[in-house]
Amino acid sequence: MEVLRIISFNVNGLLTPCSSSKLSKREFILLIAKKYCANVILIQETHTTIQDSNVIKQLFSLKWNFFHAPGKSDSCGVITLISKEINSSLIKYCNKGRLLHVQVEINYKKYNIVNIYAPSSSNIDKISWLQSINWKDFKKDTIIGGDWNIPISS
């Protein structure tokens, strides 16, 4: 494994039905991952709790290492899936379901992958949330992805 192929989804509730397809959101994500040969999947706004964690883990467990920062049943929650072909470990997660930091190792080199679901509320809340993150934890060789909740226009 020499290349990271990362895809990212805001699912607005992982366990809710997919409105535009007969597939479940999980099936849709895995179909896209296969199509683009992704080996890292970042999922935001899962609306999943700690109680949902084992069920969801089983849905993805065949080919994916599963990392979960639970949110509430109606908001937040992030999941990072790493191909089982890649050595990976959890470094840190936010207990409010907004940040998940996983480290992967490829060819004896370590990379940090950070999955973010930023607050969608006011800019002041977003700025204070961003300032609360200890960015020094990520050092170098860091990939940050996710949903920053920044509108293109106001």
Side-chain angles (χ1 to χ4, degrees):
M1 182 74 49
E2 295 182 21
V3 176
L4 285 175
R5 291 185 183 91
I6 302 169
I7 56 177
S8 182
F9 297 92
N10 178 315
V11 294
N12 193 17
L14 182 62
L15 301 176
T16 59
C18 189
S19 60
S20 61
S21 171
K22 293 180 181 178
L23 300 174
S24 70
K25 290 181 182 179
R26 178 190 64 86
E27 291 168 328
F28 179 77
I29 288 168
L30 294 177
L31 182 70
I32 298 298
K34 185 176 182 180
K35 179 178 179 177
Y36 292 102
C37 301
N39 49 24
V40 176
I41 305 173
L42 307 177
I43 307 171
Q44 306 84 41
E45 202 175 358
T46 61
H47 299 181
T48 52
T49 64
I50 193 74
Q51 291 82 10
D52 300 320
S53 196
N54 286 332
V55 171
I56 296 167
K57 184 176 183 176
Q58 289 175 349
L59 296 174
F60 290 107
S61 65
L62 286 176
K63 296 183 179 181
W64 301 94
N65 292 316
F66 174 85
F67 303 95
H68 184 212
K72 301 176 189 172
S73 62
D74 62 349
S75 68
C76 299
V78 292
I79 292 173
T80 299
L81 302 171
I82 310 287
S83 167
K84 287 197 173 183
E85 296 175 3
I86 299 174
N87 184 18
S88 55
S89 58
L90 176 66
I91 302 297
K92 179 180 180 177
Y93 77 95
C94 164
N95 64 359
K96 294 184 180 179
R98 295 208 174 269
L99 184 140
L100 188 56
H101 177 191
V102 175
Q103 191 170 76
V104 299
E105 186 174 328
I106 299 175
N107 297 331
Y108 306 104
K109 183 163 175 58
K110 293 182 179 180
Y111 299 90
N112 297 293
I113 299 176
V114 181
N115 186 0
I116 285 181
Y117 176 59
S120 59
S121 53
S122 75
N123 286 335
I124 294 169
D125 291 342
K126 194 172 303 192
I127 290 168
S128 64
W129 180 77
L130 288 168
Q131 289 173 336
S132 74
I133 297 171
N134 187 0
W135 295 100
K136 291 178 185 176
D137 286 349
F138 306 133
K139 300 178 182 155
K140 60 180 186 171
D141 301 321
T142 297
I143 299 163
I144 301 174
D147 183 349
W148 294 86
N149 267 317
I150 299 172
I152 294 172
S153 63
S154 53

